[in-house]
Each structure stands twice: as C-alpha cells, then as structure tokens.
Amino acid sequence: MVLLRFAPSPTGPLHLGGLRMALYNYLYAKKFNGKWILRIEDTDTARTVPGSVEGIQKALEWAGLEYDYGPDKGGPHSPYYQSERRDLYHSYANKLIDNGHAYRCFCSPDELADVKTRLARSGSNSTYDRKCLHLTEEEAARKVKAGEKFVVRINNSVTPTRVPTHDLVFGSLRDAHLSLSTDPVLLKSDLFPTYHLSSVVDDHEMGITHVLRGEEWITSLPLHLDLYTHLNLTPPQFAHVPILLNQNRTKMSKRHGDVQVIDYIRRGWEPEAILNWLALAGWGVKYEDSPIEPSSPLSSPSPSSSSSSSSPTRIEDAPDSTHLMSLPEMISSFDLTALTHRSSVLDVNKLEYINKHHLMNVWNAEKGLDTLARRAHGYIKGVYPSSPYTTVENIKQVISLLQGRLTNIQDIPLHAPYLFIDPDLESEEAKGMIEGITLSNDSHEQRVQVLDTLKKLIESNDGWIKFCEGSNESVMESLNEERRKMGMGQRKFMMLLRYALTGMKDGPGVVDIIRVLGQDRVSARLEAAKDVGIKDS
C-alpha cells in the first residue's frame, strides 16, 4: 500500500509551502488508494513554539486535508511525535556504532571551529579531521563514563556502493557526496537526533513508501541513502518538490506573515481556491515518457527518465496556473512528473481569479447561499457592529445582489457598505458625483424636484408594489417616464439616484439596490440627499 507522510516541525504557524506539501501528499495518497500520516518532527526543542501543532492541525482541517494517522488519531505506527521516539533513534545509532558506520565525537564546539578553520586555510574541502574516529572502544567508553558530552557522527570515510539515484520529480540525479559536510552529526549532545537520523528511522519504521519533501533536502539525499545502506534497509521512493517563492522571488519563510495559512483563513479566502492555487504553482510541465504509476522502492531508474540537466519535452495537456479544479479533479489529474524543476512564484492575482470562481461554485451549490452568508456574518458584524442590517437573511440578499462582483467573501463591505449603513454623501467620491450632475441654471432646485418625485413614487403603494413585483425593464420604464416629464437625460437621472442611495459611482443596478434597501430606507435616503444637495450649493 502506498503510504506517505507530512512531517512539519512545530516552529510556528503553517505556511503556504507547508500546506502545498501536505496537499501533494494527500493527492498522491488518494490517487493511488493509499494513506498518509501527520508526523510531528519536534526534536529541535529550542525552536519549538507552543500551540504550533494545534495550528497545523486546524489549518489542515480548514483546507479539508484529512490525514489517516497522526497525533490526534492514533494509528499502527504511533507515537507520532518524534520527541516520544528517542529510544528508537538511540537504538539505531548504537547499531551504526556497533557495525563501524558511526562513532562518538567528543570534540567541543571551540575545537570543531578551530579544526574547520585550519582545514579551510590548508585548502581542504573537509569540515572535520575525524579525530574521534580513531578513538578505541575503551577510550570512548572511558569518556562516556566520565560524563563527557558527545555527538554521534556517521562514518562516511568510505562511500557505500549503490544503484544510481532516481527522483520522482527530477529523474536521474548525479552523486552529490562532495556537497556533504565531513561525517554529519546523527545524534546531538542533548541525545536528540538530527533530521537525518530521525527521518530515515521513522520512514522505515512507519513503512513509508514515498517521501515527498522540499527541494532543499535534495543535497541531503546521499547521506540519507547512505544510512539506509549502512542499516541494510530498503529506502522509499523520493520526490523533491521545488520550493515556492514570494512575488519578489525571495524564499518563503515563517517569519513573513503574508505566507502563513492562518492569514488567508482570516482574509476569507475559499479553502478549495487556496488548494487549487497552490496545486498549480509549478504544476504544468509534462515530461515525455515519464511513468505516472508509483514506482516500487526496489526498482531501478527507468532508462527514459529525464535527467535534471536535460531540457524537458513539454506536452500541452498539463493544466495551466489558473485552471479551475475541485479537490476530486486535483486527485484525478495529479502527476508528480508534471512538476517544474524550477521554483515557482505565487501570484496573488491568480488567486483572486481562482477564488472568484470557487466562490460562485459554493454559491451555486445546494444551500450554498446560506453557507456563504453564515460564514460572512461574523466578519460583517465586526465591521458594522451597530448596524441592524447584518442578519444572515440580509447578507444573503446582499450576496445575491453582488453576484459576479465578489472576489472574496470579505469584499462585501468594500463593494456595498451602503447596504449596512447610510452612505457618506460628504465623501470625495460622492461630492464628485454630484458636481458632475449639472441639470440647469436652477440645478439645485431641479435636483430637489427629482428626488421629491422619486420619493413620492417610492412611498406610494402602487409604486412600491411595482418596484417589488415588476421586472427590471418595467420598473426602468416607470422611472424613465418620470424622467422624460422633467426633461432630464438618462445618465444624469440615474447618477443622481445612485448618488442619493449609495454615494458610490459603481455598483449593482439601481433597481436591484432599491429592492434590497426596502421602501423606508430608500425614502429616507432620498430625503437626506435633498438636504445635502442644498447645503452643498
């Protein structure tokens, strides 16, 4: 069975790059009827931030990415916190020491810094002189008994023989042992493992078949494969995914608030739109002859696999970066071989386009309007705490009125504040509207006459019934009839009416706005606009 793991460190809120990696694990597992694990890699105690795990779990829940096993679910491979698995790592470290593939190093940080400086000055590429590799078992045991602190290093003085390295994204990879530091640390002096040891041990012990992780770990892959070889274990298949970049092409970091998932939740983005956006960031280059089925961990690289140094052959059936996809469609179409080999920039403009369409999908679903209104209710109530028009039923009318205009559910106050509070007719926008309506030499008086006429029409039972029950065309004909009696052009007439009701130049049709506002509010606004017009004169 295909089994994957998403293994974040609890060092702060989940960011978009982490959510994308969780999504890819989810998609791959679902596509091949497998499962995936949430594993918390909390061995770096100095960087652990309280509440991070709960934040990660809430972000995954919001996105609809349900893992099969994890800290709050249990499973056959528990515990799922690495801090609770230290005895296991010590056991494997001792195996490596016993078979000569690792050793205890007692050098102090100051000694190591001096050695590194000396080696660099001599022109050596080594970062450590392997001084402690040559300690006898008795010498090492004596130091341990004396309470001297030590780390455990892998003994990479002899590179093990392996089949060529194959990656599910990059294809055949060159051997990169020369990029490794000399005998990297596996177990730290606080007896916590480094990522190198803990990830290899846990991936084996949990039966992980495929490891999807960030491209930054590709340089560590030779070390991890060495560990599998030294421990006589079968490695999983690896897929290293190119990272996401901010729009200024800098690497995403938890230190930047604009990349944290919680910020996108607070801003009201649709979870499926976020997933759609993240899934397609870097997904769109199809490599010719690349297999789509997951490979066996024992299989050797395919002769047709693309090399990381070769030019890809593009096939035009891969989705573009604004292709609208539901989660089931993402599962069906997901293909690791269609990922680009370059880092991808996240474009917020693309998110706005995608979100607008996913918002419409929710609106069109059964009880979708009610769902959106209830989601928007708390936010709108917070924006207009004193307004009596922030009920769910009113918000449903507003969403219907703004259909097609909304990019984000939290854009409602931006597009139509006048539906919750009285318009600000003293704003620069409103003043600009009224200054542009020059009716005649007696423009102020005629303005009052127009508003009075409309007010009487609205307040009459027949007039209001026609507004409520008539078609938009019949209502407009009634308005035009009044306009013609006053000898007024249509553009100025409608602009005056929009000014009085909204104080904003753009928006939905005036007839629709009148229906949502209701008779009393429309009448009051027409009256108020008369006074402002006179005062401005």
Side-chain angles (χ1 to χ4, degrees):
M1 182 184 71
V2 168
L3 182 63
L4 298 97
R5 53 47 168 200
F6 174 54
S9 299
T11 54
L14 185 66
H15 64 89
L16 292 176
L19 183 61
R20 175 173 174 250
M21 195 59 62
L23 171 63
Y24 282 3
N25 276 275
Y26 174 91
L27 296 178
Y28 200 86
K30 296 300 179 184
K31 185 177 181 71
F32 297 108
N33 297 314
K35 296 183 183 297
W36 68 298
I37 290 170
L38 173 64
R39 186 174 76 209
I40 305 301
E41 300 197 338
D42 59 343
T43 57
D44 191 345
T45 55
R47 296 179 61 228
T48 296
V49 176
S52 295
V53 175
E54 293 77 9
I56 291 168
Q57 291 170 322
K58 288 179 181 177
L60 294 176
E61 181 182 5
W62 169 81
L65 302 180
E66 184 177 358
Y67 44 89
D68 298 283
Y69 309 122
D72 56 333
K73 288 178 178 269
H77 316 291
S78 59
Y80 292 100
Y81 286 94
Q82 286 190 331
S83 59
E84 299 174 10
R85 301 170 64 86
R86 281 190 291 174
D87 288 347
L88 189 62
Y89 309 134
H90 297 166
S91 172
Y92 275 85
N94 289 332
K95 285 182 186 178
L96 290 167
I97 292 171
D98 291 344
N99 62 27
H101 292 305
Y103 59 95
R104 295 180 178 87
C105 173
F106 297 89
C107 297
S108 68
D110 288 342
E111 289 176 301
L112 292 172
D114 290 343
V115 168
K116 189 174 182 179
T117 300
R118 175 169 52 80
L119 290 171
R121 285 175 178 169
S122 69
S124 173
N125 290 326
S126 298
T127 56
Y128 177 53
D129 59 4
R130 293 193 169 100
K131 170 185 174 182
C132 292
L133 173 63
H134 307 294
L135 292 174
T136 64
E137 289 184 21
E138 291 77 12
E139 288 174 320
R142 230 178 5 255
K143 287 176 175 289
V144 171
K145 189 173 182 180
E148 289 190 38
K149 285 190 172 184
F150 65 89
V151 300
V152 174
R153 294 178 176 272
I154 188 172
N155 177 10
N156 259 1
S157 56
V158 179
T159 302
T161 303
R162 292 194 310 269
V163 296
T165 304
H166 179 71
D167 186 86
L168 293 175
V169 173
F170 287 91
S172 298
L173 298 174
R174 298 187 185 92
D175 188 287
H177 270 91
L178 292 178
S179 66
L180 296 174
S181 60
T182 306
D183 295 358
V185 173
L186 302 178
L187 200 67
K188 297 177 288 187
S189 59
D190 61 3
L191 300 182
F192 276 91
T194 62
Y195 172 80
H196 308 301
L197 179 63
S198 61
S199 64
V200 166
V201 170
D202 285 342
D203 287 344
H204 169 70
E205 288 285 332
M206 292 181 175
I208 302 299
T209 62
H210 296 76
V211 172
L212 276 59
R213 62 186 181 184
E215 182 188 9
E216 64 267 28
W217 292 110
I218 205 166
T219 54
S220 299
L221 183 60
L223 170 59
H224 299 168
L225 293 177
D226 286 350
L227 286 171
Y228 281 106
T229 302
H230 291 329
L231 292 166
N232 197 28
L233 305 176
T234 302
Q237 285 283 287
F238 287 92
H240 290 87
V241 179
I243 63 173
L244 294 176
L245 301 176
N246 294 311
Q247 287 191 284
N248 62 1
R249 302 199 68 82
T250 58
K251 181 180 176 182
M252 284 193 164
S253 167
K254 291 180 182 179
R255 290 184 292 275
H256 296 92
D258 57 340
V259 301
Q260 295 175 356
V261 177
I262 186 64
D263 291 327
Y264 288 80
I265 296 174
R266 288 170 180 160
R267 292 173 194 165
W269 297 102
E270 299 302 304
E272 203 160 68
I274 292 288
L275 297 182
N276 192 162
W277 181 48
L278 292 176
L280 295 179
W283 176 10
V285 176
K286 187 86 170 174
Y287 295 95
E288 195 170 22
D289 299 327
S290 294
I292 191 170
E293 293 296 329
S295 307
S296 162
L298 294 174
S299 64
S300 58
S302 166
S304 62
S305 298
S306 59
S307 168
S308 59
S309 60
S310 64
S311 299
T313 300
R314 189 181 181 91
I315 300 175
E316 296 300 334
D317 62 355
D320 64 38
S321 57
T322 55
H323 183 66
L324 301 175
M325 304 178 81
S326 65
L327 196 53
E329 288 169 336
M330 292 181 220
I331 294 170
S332 175
S333 303
F334 185 63
D335 180 1
L336 281 172
T337 66
L339 297 184
T340 179
H341 292 176
R342 296 188 295 270
S343 301
S344 300
V345 175
L346 274 181
D347 186 345
V348 177
N349 292 325
K350 293 179 180 179
L351 172 59
E352 291 177 352
Y353 172 85
I354 292 170
N355 199 79
K356 182 174 183 176
H357 289 80
H358 278 283
L359 198 61
M360 291 301 296
N361 288 341
V362 176
W363 192 91
N364 290 323
E366 184 179 358
K367 296 184 179 179
L369 183 57
D370 188 70
T371 298
L372 289 176
R374 292 185 184 281
R375 278 178 41 201
H377 177 252
Y379 174 74
I380 294 175
K381 184 70 177 173
V383 176
Y384 306 114
S386 301
S387 172
Y389 304 106
T390 58
T391 64
V392 171
E393 287 305 312
N394 282 340
I395 294 172
K396 286 166 68 172
Q397 291 187 67
V398 173
I399 293 174
S400 297
L401 179 65
L402 297 175
Q403 181 186 173
R405 294 176 176 270
L406 294 177
T407 296
N408 185 308
I409 197 68
Q410 291 187 9
D411 288 344
I412 292 173
L414 176 68
H415 286 289
Y418 50 82
L419 295 175
F420 302 100
I421 57 175
D422 289 336
D424 179 9
L425 300 184
E426 298 286 356
S427 71
E428 291 303 315
E429 182 175 4
K431 288 179 180 178
M433 292 172 71
I434 204 65
E435 287 169 2
I437 305 172
T438 303
L439 304 177
S440 68
N441 292 333
D442 299 321
S443 59
H444 300 140
E445 290 75 8
Q446 191 173 4
R447 191 179 304 158
V448 172
Q449 179 189 358
V450 170
L451 295 173
D452 260 337
T453 301
L454 293 173
K455 186 169 178 286
K456 289 175 183 176
L457 180 64
I458 291 291
E459 290 176 347
S460 70
N461 288 335
D462 289 344
W464 184 247
I465 290 172
K466 184 175 286 188
F467 268 99
C468 293
E469 299 180 0
S471 66
N472 282 24
E473 291 77 12
S474 66
V475 173
M476 279 304 302
E477 182 53 39
S478 297
L479 291 175
N480 281 325
E481 185 178 341
E482 297 297 330
R483 173 183 63 78
R484 284 190 288 268
K485 289 178 184 177
M486 291 180 280
M488 187 177 193
Q490 185 176 34
R491 189 191 71 81
K492 291 180 178 179
F493 180 84
M494 296 307 296
M495 182 65 78
L496 178 58
L497 189 51
R498 185 178 291 278
Y499 158 80
L501 297 177
T502 73
M504 296 176 69
K505 292 181 180 179
D506 300 314
V510 167
V511 175
D512 292 324
I513 291 172
I514 288 173
R515 288 176 177 145
V516 172
L517 287 173
Q519 186 178 26
D520 292 342
R521 295 172 77 192
V522 171
S523 179
R525 291 188 184 189
L526 294 173
E527 183 66 32
K530 284 166 35 182
D531 296 337
V532 174
I534 292 171
K535 185 174 71 174
D536 286 347
S537 64

